[in-house]
Amino acid sequence: MGFKTDKDVLQMAERDGIYFSDYDKELAKRDPDAGLSIYTAKQNYMNAKTDAERKHWNQKAESIRRKNGGYTAGSDGAGFMKDDRYFTHDDPYADRMNAALDKLLGYQAFTNPYQGHIDQTLGKLTSRDPFSYDAEKDPMFQQYRKTYLREGQRANEDTMGNYAAMTGGMPSTAAVGAASQAQDYYNAKMADKIPQLYQLAYQMYSDEGNSLLNQLSAMRGLGQDALSAWNANLGLVQGQMDAVGKLSDRDYNRKFNKWSADHQVEREEVKDNQWASEHRLDAQKRAQQLLMEMIKGGQTPSHETIMSAAWNDKDAAQLAKWYRDQLAFEKAMQLARLQK
């Protein structure tokens, strides 16, 4: 790797706050490449987010210790056991676990594919002018008007002609009155059309509004369906990771229990170390539970809380942002449903 001494490795570990036991330091002095591999495994262990990941990187470090130093360091890297029969476990589900974890971390935030249509339809609905009706601007009324004016004029002329025929062409007051009445009849029919046309125009205006509302409701329904599908797929991804994790844990426990039954060695010597390790792991798990509760609640945990959970600030901030985005989106969708 290009390291001449162990100082390069140990300086990196000290800089990053990574603990090296005396046995790991001794190994690094004899084999800087092995020391660097342990440093990398410990760094990944600190950045791991799940027990399965931490177990994976602990096993990597243990494999390097056994292969290059002939010792093991326990579940937290602080112990020491010189025993070739120390339990080892190559997780057959490690690749599947890593793939499932990558898939979950890479899962994109939900984007409503119908949001553009919703915004467009809502804009049309809210920008409509209040209903009004002007007969002079109604093409249908103008058509009626031409017809009734023409028919009224024709009735006037026909009446005048009929009276002229009866009086030998002599004009009379009666003829003028009768012709005027005939024309007024059509004028009245023309005026009677205005309420009908008003009602027709209002119905068209109302139908248009209802059509936009129906479109908006349909788009929102499709958006909800898309969100449900997104949540279902996310649940599948999470379920796959959980299922692989359970298989990994079951395989580990089964093999460990068999090993424990066959190899009851040096139990008393490592009892205190094991208790301390379990105690630290329990504290770490409690810190991780607190961390996830804060993150899921939209909060950004303190640096101390993040370090207690063996996380790093960057990953915690990214995951907190992801949950805050989801909370904001869910609130927006709830508000949209209330406004329907």
Side-chain angles (χ1 to χ4, degrees):
M1 294 293 179
F3 293 100
K4 296 181 180 180
T5 69
D6 63 306
K7 292 182 179 179
D8 301 297
V9 177
L10 298 180
Q11 285 175 355
M12 290 169 58
E14 183 177 359
R15 179 197 65 197
D16 297 336
I18 295 176
Y19 172 75
F20 260 56
S21 69
D22 291 339
Y23 310 105
D24 289 340
K25 290 178 181 178
E26 183 64 28
L27 175 59
K29 289 179 181 180
R30 289 187 287 104
D31 188 343
D33 286 349
L36 177 62
S37 297
I38 290 178
Y39 161 81
T40 302
K42 283 176 170 286
Q43 187 180 50
N44 289 331
Y45 179 95
M46 290 179 61
N47 294 332
K49 299 179 178 64
T50 66
D51 288 342
E53 288 182 88
R54 281 185 283 276
K55 183 171 67 177
H56 170 75
W57 290 113
N58 176 259
Q59 291 169 1
K60 287 288 186 182
E62 289 288 71
S63 176
I64 297 166
R65 294 183 180 106
R66 284 191 300 273
K67 181 179 179 181
N68 297 279
Y71 71 97
T72 60
S75 60
D76 64 350
F80 177 79
M81 180 182 288
K82 188 69 175 179
D83 188 345
D84 292 337
R85 296 175 300 165
Y86 188 78
F87 176 70
T88 61
H89 176 65
D90 293 325
D91 189 357
Y93 301 97
D95 291 341
R96 291 172 62 183
M97 174 64 75
N98 291 334
L101 180 62
D102 290 341
K103 190 174 182 181
L104 179 62
L105 293 177
Y107 203 78
Q108 298 297 317
F110 176 74
T111 300
N112 189 348
Y114 303 96
Q115 191 59 50
H117 295 292
I118 291 174
D119 293 340
Q120 184 180 19
T121 304
L122 187 60
K124 290 180 180 179
L125 186 63
T126 57
S127 63
R128 298 176 77 212
D129 293 329
F131 175 75
S132 63
Y133 179 75
D134 185 352
E136 295 299 325
K137 296 180 181 179
D138 185 353
M140 188 173 294
F141 176 74
Q142 295 303 319
Q143 186 64 38
Y144 277 119
R145 183 176 187 179
K146 289 179 182 179
T147 299
Y148 284 123
L149 287 176
R150 182 178 64 250
E151 293 301 319
Q153 184 62 33
R154 181 180 298 169
N156 183 297
E157 293 173 355
D158 289 346
T159 302
M160 291 293 292
N162 291 335
Y163 270 90
M166 289 187 296
T167 61
M170 295 296 293
S172 68
T173 302
V176 172
S180 177
Q181 289 180 357
Q183 188 170 13
D184 288 344
Y185 168 76
Y186 285 97
N187 290 338
K189 291 185 67 175
M190 178 177 64
D192 291 341
K193 284 294 180 182
I194 293 179
Q196 299 177 25
L197 295 176
Y198 176 95
Q199 184 62 36
L200 178 61
Y202 179 78
Q203 187 62 49
M204 293 174 63
Y205 178 86
S206 179
D207 289 346
E208 181 187 43
N210 289 333
S211 177
L212 290 173
L213 286 173
N214 290 336
Q215 291 177 37
L216 186 61
S217 178
M219 289 298 104
R220 284 175 170 168
L222 291 173
Q224 288 295 322
D225 291 343
L227 176 60
S228 297
W230 182 88
N231 281 323
N233 289 331
L234 177 59
L236 288 175
V237 174
Q238 293 173 326
Q240 289 172 2
M241 190 177 74
D242 291 342
V244 174
K246 290 178 180 179
L247 289 173
S248 174
D249 290 342
R250 186 173 66 183
D251 183 76
Y252 178 89
N253 291 332
R254 179 178 60 82
K255 293 179 180 177
F256 180 78
N257 290 336
K258 183 179 184 302
W259 175 86
S260 296
D262 295 339
H263 303 282
Q264 297 292 332
V265 293
E266 296 188 13
R267 293 292 180 177
E268 293 302 323
E269 293 183 22
V270 299
K271 184 176 181 181
D272 292 340
N273 285 338
Q274 288 178 337
W275 179 88
S277 173
E278 291 173 358
H279 180 73
R280 284 191 291 271
L281 285 176
D282 287 341
Q284 188 180 86
K285 287 181 179 180
R286 289 194 296 271
Q288 289 171 355
Q289 290 174 353
L290 174 61
L291 180 75
M292 288 306 300
E293 289 174 0
M294 294 179 68
I295 286 176
K296 289 181 179 181
Q299 304 177 48
T300 299
S302 66
H303 175 73
E304 290 73 14
T305 301
I306 293 171
M307 295 304 294
S308 298
W311 279 43
N312 61 58
D313 293 334
K314 180 180 178 182
D315 288 345
Q318 288 179 343
L319 192 59
K321 181 181 183 301
W322 189 85
Y323 273 103
R324 283 197 298 271
D325 289 343
Q326 298 311 303
L327 288 173
F329 176 78
E330 290 174 3
K331 289 181 180 178
M333 292 301 295
Q334 290 175 359
L335 181 60
R337 287 194 294 270
L338 292 174
Q339 293 176 346
K340 291 171 69 175

